[in-house]
Amino acid sequence: MTSPPIRSGSRRELLASVAVTSLLASASEAGARGYSGSLPFRTYSADPPRPVLPGAWVFFTQDEAVAVEAIVDRLVPADDLSVGGKEAGCAVFIDRQLAGPYGHSSRLYTQGPFLPGLPTQGYQGEMNPAQRYRAGLAAIDAHLKREKGRGFAALPAVEQDAFLTRLEKGEVTLPPGSGGAQGFFNLVLQNTMEGFFSDPVYGGNRGMASWRMLGFPGTRYDYRDWVSKHNQRYPLPPVSIMGAPEWSAR
Amino acid sequence: MTRILPRKDAVIVGLGWTGSIIANELADEGLDVLALERGPWRDTATDFNIGYAQDELRYAIRKDLFLQPALEAITMRNNPSQTALPMRDYGSFLPGHGVGGAGVHWNGHTWRFWDSEFRINSHLTERYGAAKFAGLDLQDWGVTAAEMEPYYDAFEYLCGISGKAGNIRGQKQPGGNPFEDPRAREYPLPPMQMTYAPTLFAEAARTLNLSPFPTPSANLSGAYVNSLGVAMGQCTMCGFCERFGCANYSKSSAQTCVLPVLMRKRNFELRTECEVLKVELHRSGNMARGVTYVDSSGEEFFQPADIVLLCAYGLQNVRLMMLSGIGKQYDPNTNEGTVGRNYCYQTNCGTQVFLEGKELNPFIAAGSLGQTVDDFNGDAFDHGNVNFVGGAGINCIPTNARPIGYRPVPPGTPRWGSAWKRETARNYRSTLSFGCQGSSYPQRSNYLDLDPTYKDRHGRPLLRMTFEFPDNDIRMSHFMSDRSEEIARALGGRQHTTSRATKAWNSVPYQSTHNTGGAIMGTDPTRSAVNRYLQSWDVNNVFVVGASAFAHNAGKNPTGTVGALAFLAADAIRNRYLKAAGQPLVAA
Ligand SMILES: Cc1cc2nc3c(=O)[nH]c(=O)nc-3n(C[C@H](O)[C@H](O)[C@H](O)COP(=O)(O)OP(=O)(O)OC[C@H]3O[C@@H](n4cnc5c(N)ncnc54)[C@H](O)[C@@H]3O)c2cc1C
Ligand code: SF4
């Protein structure tokens, strides 16, 4: 048995001075840091989101963008409740997401071996979302041109809906690795809903269209004045991270 | 090459809830304490900034604050005959990362486990006979609720928990939880102001002779100065709580409760972006020499220390023990071994009631603002006539109505198109949800070990999780679904729907980050990994703190008990271990 390293009864004296330890700061400026003696605070260390700006497509080709705009406009159709997915910016949202860390699965575990999994084990494909869109959209385009002689965007709305329903049910064959027709449909549906309902700072939900439809007040953060007003509708319009149009109108 | 650093009295692996509590206690004792944290420094003003903290896409959907699987993933399968594959994205549970750990982005439901849970084997055997739970490896924890009381009290007064006591020193208190064990005093803060949905839920529950009470909450009902003298603010019910840091200093966490005091102590040092790879043992095997860690530049260090505290979250504690050779790997075939056994989770079901013409304002919400019914939790009711043990808390705690994730629609509604949109808009503000958080009891084939195939970025094996809901727990959950239906009927409404638990635990949809066991506390060194002081049975100067110590999981969130265990371990080190350093506190 090793001898006990702390002698019983003896307590260490407080170390005389341990300011911010230089040891690690010098070892690697980039990340690892040592702190002692105070709460660290570095100015400009906040990391706010960078607003998506309208403009040219970043990830999609022109043809892909046309198809995705048509798809999101059927998933979220324009009606008396809100504008459609295209006008709400869902395709722009997806384009920018696919160009960033999400599209490249850079935060996920992407080491092999890649084996077919059980449903309870989640997505096990090798392709990241960006690759799945590229392959999935191309396969849909080829499929429709073969079957109908034209791409998705050129179909009438009824046929577009019928085709999306077949994708959703897995009745169309897409290349392996992309997650199959159902997997690809679910991915596009998920991303479209993200774009429609997320903060407008990411390029979708233009004018907070979906939040106005639901009555969601967005980023307000303080409801203490309304918590006890049971069964009374909250009266204020939504606000986003970038503010609200009402503010700049004044 | 590994650089060798100057010795420390105590090294703490992970600066989350447990790490910060223990660091502060040991620093008060005068020890020279170092915490090594894998993730970055995080604080309210900079990282949970009120200008953009309420960003659902970034924090709830893309999970900005959580442990990224690229850094460390876990493989899973449902039973030992299957091949485990990595969870390429975390889904069912979301481990924390960075200073504050998962305590940054928890909800704050803060429970005490009951005496009948700490003494579960003895209690159930006395009441029903051991045959009642045959096939479940239920073990006593080695502590009683009375022994845990001062530690629960310490955690609740550190946090500023808002609640209503149900039992003060044996005196039942109207309005509180009638099933709780005696507590020494009231909660530090009164319950939060109730929103509409939990108010309706409580009214319905009362018509069924159930006993709803306000859920004990780490979202503060008012301004508070905690037991360390740190000031906190009132929760504004922002609805961006779980998965988010709080911009108001109103959610109890290491940041709001401990770090303002701890970071000023000169005998405490924190190193961030330093991942501990291994606890290094003396050749004797029963003492640790310190830990090896790697910083974000890739440089490796050896940090000698007299005491090593694993506070890295339950699952990571277990993996570090396995990678370091602390304790014997559990083998489900022989039922032998101490590390990896008794892995448990949570058995949940949920109900949605589609009301008509009600304005619930569901976005006015906080992580733990709601009502709970404990009449069917644990052994609060007689199990003589039912074919299971355990139970669930029934919780109406609408935490948010963030629209990417929260869009209740009746079953059968299309997922897109005009009909989808109509139903989404129609039900958004008027759907009442509640859920049953059920117990999870250990069975032999549910365990943790190291994966034979998949490796982390340092080339070390990932943790492998083998888990399926035991039959007992499925039966329990079905019973709870039936009770939920009764409450739903009492609530009325246009229609309602209740889920029923099914086999094959699915790692994809979020369930809860309540992973328990794997390094359990107990009285028998052949069937537990740590003693009642959370000291390793095998390596005397290693303490393993977290829900890894739970011998089973109750129908409750774990952190009240995790925090109490942190105070218990700190007390044991301060008042027992330092007087007999290097010695086991319980004779094996
Ligand atoms: C979304 C969510 C909601 C929750 N809601 C509730 C709730 O309502 N009620 C409740 O009771 N509980 C809840 N929990 C659980 C609660 O957050 C945890 O029980 C609690 O934080 C555990 O404390 P801990 O100290 O064990 O781990 P943590 O607080 O997670 O801290 C562990 C720390 O160790 C670090 N670490 C890990 N590995 C290493 C390594 N190798 N080297 C260095 N550092 C390392 C991590 O980065 C982390 O900072 C929730 C959790 C989540 C994720
Ligand atoms: S709900 Fe309350 S405690 Fe939670 S993040 Fe919002 S203000 Fe903070």
Side-chain angles (χ1 to χ4, degrees), chain A:
Chain A
M1 149 105 241
T2 340
S3 67
I6 297 175
R7 276 144 284 122
S8 64
S10 85
R11 297 284 186 279
R12 285 217 126 213
E13 287 296 294
L14 304 194
L15 286 187
S17 76
V18 208
V20 172
T21 355
S22 54
L23 172 78
L24 290 154
S26 64
S28 66
E29 275 304 327
R33 281 167 198 272
Y35 306 101
S36 187
S38 67
L39 267 174
F41 182 83
R42 279 176 286 139
T43 45
Y44 303 117
S45 57
D47 180 22
R50 277 157 286 274
V52 160
L53 302 173
W57 301 103
V58 179
F59 173 77
F60 290 135
T61 64
Q62 190 55 38
D63 286 350
E64 287 171 340
V66 168
V68 171
E69 288 196 317
I71 292 172
V72 299
D73 229 25
R74 292 321 300 159
L75 297 178
V76 181
D79 56 21
D80 54 327
L81 289 167
S82 78
V83 296
K86 175 179 170 182
E87 202 180 326
C90 292
V92 175
F93 167 88
I94 297 175
D95 179 69
R96 303 305 196 273
Q97 289 290 309
L98 293 177
Y102 170 76
H104 297 95
S105 292
S106 55
R107 298 169 175 187
L108 305 190
Y109 186 80
T110 51
Q111 295 186 38
F114 291 89
L115 301 172
L118 303 161
T120 59
Q121 291 172 317
Y123 178 69
Q124 292 291 335
E126 201 166 348
M127 293 165 90
N128 61 36
Q131 294 165 326
R132 290 170 74 186
Y133 270 84
R134 189 120 291 155
L137 291 172
I140 287 172
D141 196 56
H143 180 99
L144 284 174
K145 286 195 171 136
R146 205 165 51 239
E147 206 171 75
K148 311 245 178 218
R150 48 192 162 155
F152 185 86
L155 295 175
V158 193
E159 287 191 45
Q160 288 180 331
D161 284 357
F163 180 74
L164 289 173
T165 304
R166 287 174 61 205
L167 268 187
E168 184 179 19
K169 291 183 176 158
E171 293 169 4
V172 180
T173 311
L174 291 192
S178 65
Q182 272 179 313
F184 183 61
F185 178 87
N186 287 337
L187 179 70
V188 176
L189 181 64
Q190 166 69 21
N191 297 154
T192 304
M193 294 302 167
E194 288 168 359
F196 190 54
F197 288 107
S198 67
D199 195 286
V201 73
Y202 296 108
N205 194 14
R206 277 193 201 136
M208 299 180 275
S210 71
W211 293 359
R212 290 181 202 278
M213 167 181 100
L214 297 175
F216 175 61
T219 65
R220 289 194 173 270
Y221 219 75
D222 188 352
Y223 297 108
R224 284 174 296 179
D225 60 347
W226 211 262
V227 58
S228 302
K229 300 198 171 156
H230 289 179
N231 212 11
Q232 296 176 48
R233 186 166 178 182
Y234 184 75
L236 298 180
V239 173
S240 92
I241 289 174
M242 297 185 298
E246 294 87 337
W247 296 359
S248 44
R250 258 174 231 145

Side-chain angles (χ1 to χ4, degrees), chain B residues 30-146:
Chain B
L31 300 189
D32 192 5
V33 180
L34 168 70
L36 296 168
E37 165 56 48
R38 171 160 62 187
W41 172 257
R42 282 190 178 135
D43 210 350
T44 305
T46 42
D47 300 272
F48 324 135
N49 187 290
I50 198 158
Y52 57 86
Q54 56 284 59
D55 181 342
E56 181 183 16
L57 183 78
R58 175 176 182 176
Y59 295 110
I61 307 296
R62 300 287 181 257
K63 306 172 198 144
D64 206 50
L65 297 173
F66 295 96
L67 173 63
Q68 300 177 0
L71 299 189
E72 182 180 338
I74 295 175
T75 70
M76 70 76 60
R77 56 184 179 173
N78 293 116
N79 64 61
S81 72
Q82 298 169 342
T83 302
L85 295 181
M87 295 181 245
R88 297 189 176 277
D89 194 3
Y90 283 114
S92 181
F93 56 88
L94 301 169
H97 181 65
V99 169
V104 162
H105 42 63
W106 69 320
N107 270 321
H109 311 180
T110 310
W111 294 105
R112 295 181 174 202
F113 282 19
W114 296 335
D115 197 56
S116 52
E117 283 150 349
F118 293 119
R119 298 175 52 256
I120 192 160
N121 186 303
S122 311
H123 171 85
L124 293 179
T125 306
E126 284 155 23
R127 191 165 181 186
Y128 308 107
K132 182 81 183 174
F133 56 93
L136 300 174
D137 187 15
L138 289 169
Q139 300 186 29
D140 291 357
W141 295 34
V143 288
T144 64

